Amino acid sequence: VCDGLNLFKCPHCRERDTFQEEMWRMGVHVPDRLVSLSLDPEAHAEFSARHGRCDASECLCPGGREQAEDEGPWQLLLCSSCAAEGTHRHCSFLGTGMASWECQSCVGPSAGKRQISWEPLGWAPAAG
């Protein structure tokens, strides 16, 4: 038996208490206990796994989509809304001044906002 609520945390920052309160408020409920169909201790590893690959349409990283560094052009940023997609800073033209990023699924085609725009001096955040 696995503690379901213990595994239910923000996939981006791994914070549990505030995340669970917000999910409860939004109508997302998780049972107190999850019954494992397997005795394998790794059976629920996907619940605590952090997204770990660049999902840019063209990944430019010489080490590939799964390579990630703590900082610099190959730092992997997860979507600040869903944490289900990620990008290397360089693959989405994000400078070191960009602290967060949203995937196209969360931004949406009709949201009326863009993540980045071209300026004569380089890439910069677009006005929202």
Side-chain angles (χ1 to χ4, degrees), residues 2 4 10 14 32 37 43 51 56 60-61 68 73 75 77 83-84 86 100 113-114 122:
C2 236
C10 176
R14 302 205 187 265
D32 289 335
L37 299 176
H51 188 78
L60 305 170
C61 183
Q75 179 183 13
L77 295 177
S100 65
K113 61 181 181 176
R114 295 179 50 141

Side-chain angles (χ1 to χ4, degrees), residues 5-112:
L5 285 175
N6 189 38
L7 296 174
F8 189 53
K9 50 190 151 193
C10 176
H12 183 68
C13 69
R14 302 205 187 265
E15 195 282 330
R16 189 178 63 201
D17 296 331
T18 305
F19 179 77
Q20 287 181 9
E21 287 175 20
E22 185 64 13
M23 292 298 104
W24 183 266
R25 187 186 68 74
M26 294 172 60
V28 177
H29 302 278
V30 173
D32 289 335
R33 310 289 282 172
L34 293 176
V35 178
S36 175
L37 299 176
S38 169
L39 297 177
D40 179 8
E42 301 297 317
H44 298 288
E46 72 270 11
F47 289 116
S48 59
R50 183 178 190 266
H51 188 78
R53 69 184 316 264
C54 177
D55 296 302
S57 57
E58 182 181 356
C59 179
L60 305 170
C61 183
R65 292 186 181 275
E66 283 78 25
Q67 179 180 337
E69 296 177 359
D70 291 336
E71 56 186 43
W74 309 122
Q75 179 183 13
L76 188 67
L77 295 177
L78 298 184
C79 175
S80 59
S81 293
C82 70
E85 292 188 33
T87 185
H88 291 118
R89 284 187 177 278
H90 187 69
C91 297
S92 290
F93 307 101
L94 302 172
T96 55
M98 295 287 287
S100 65
W101 166 83
E102 279 188 292
C103 68
Q104 193 60 40
S105 298
C106 291
V107 170
S110 62

